[in-house]
Amino acid sequence: MTDTDVRVSRQPFHLVRTAAVGAPVLLLLYGVLRIIDGLDGDHGPGWAWDLGHALFLVAFVLFAGLVVGLRRLLGSAGAVGSSIRPRTGLRVLLDVATVAGLVGVVAFLWVILGDLFPRLGDAAPLPDPLMAVGPLLFQFGLLTLLVRAAVGRPRLIPGWGPPLVLLGFVAIAVNLDLLPIGAALILSGLLPLWHRVH
């Protein structure tokens, strides 16, 4: 194996580790900035709004990297220390989860860009069906991959990781003011990927 092969084969590890910590940390910072932005009783344009949404945008780019990186780790025999490739049905499930997660990420990015650039948002609003199902697709995709990472061999995360991530998403869905708490729960659920994936 050449040095280039080693670098290429280790890319999913670095991507997953970086995204697993970076995405929820940026989401947490966005939540704090959102609270600061709302102190005057209104959420709207201003430095906290713009910076928060920029961090939100980068967080979802990292979430896309996490989805892709997890899929690569879970789908390649050598990457997770197993000589057995996933069965066909499992590969299909992982592929569907990956596509769903990425479609959900695109929906989030579309909305965030529309918030950052109102003219763009007015000219090309996210279609209502995608607005409704986008977050669910993202959560389904990411959580499916995380559950597989928790139950597969070797286990990449403990069994309590996916429920913590789900609880974080639920907290955010209940009230956007709970974004920092939800992000902290998501970070707690994903943090083992930093330690176990290397």
Side-chain angles (χ1 to χ4, degrees):
M1 182 177 285
T2 67
D3 289 342
T4 302
D5 293 334
V6 171
R7 280 196 300 274
V8 169
S9 67
R10 297 196 63 76
Q11 283 177 350
F13 297 104
H14 297 301
L15 181 60
V16 167
R17 293 181 79 214
T18 301
V21 174
V25 166
L26 291 176
L27 197 60
L28 189 149
L29 292 173
Y30 165 60
V32 170
L33 286 167
R34 186 181 183 282
I35 290 171
I36 292 169
D37 178 53
L39 289 177
D40 61 358
D42 187 34
H43 293 284
W47 72 268
W49 170 271
D50 292 340
L51 179 57
H53 275 72
L55 296 178
F56 195 29
L57 183 79
V58 176
F60 269 90
V61 170
L62 287 174
F63 275 127
L66 180 60
V67 167
V68 170
L70 279 172
R71 175 61 185 95
R72 288 179 64 190
L73 283 179
L74 297 171
S76 66
V80 293
S82 169
S83 61
I84 302 172
R85 289 180 94 54
R87 296 182 304 278
T88 301
L90 179 57
R91 280 198 309 268
V92 170
L93 176 62
L94 294 176
D95 289 341
V96 168
T98 302
V99 170
L102 293 176
V103 169
V105 165
V106 168
F108 272 103
L109 294 176
W110 195 332
V111 171
I112 296 166
L113 286 170
D115 286 344
L116 279 170
F117 306 101
R119 285 186 180 177
L120 176 64
D122 292 341
L126 183 68
D128 288 340
L130 196 52
M131 178 76 81
V133 302
L136 296 177
L137 288 173
F138 167 68
Q139 292 169 35
F140 163 77
L142 180 59
L143 288 166
T144 299
L145 294 169
L146 289 174
V147 168
R148 176 58 184 160
V151 301
R153 292 288 177 254
R155 289 172 63 178
L156 298 178
I157 59 172
W160 47 261
L164 269 182
V165 172
L166 175 60
L167 189 58
F169 287 143
V170 169
I172 294 168
V174 166
N175 189 331
L176 284 177
D177 289 337
L178 296 177
L179 249 167
I181 294 170
L185 289 168
I186 293 168
L187 176 61
S188 299
L190 295 178
L191 193 57
L193 287 170
W194 176 263
H195 300 294
R196 295 185 183 212
V197 176
H198 50 75

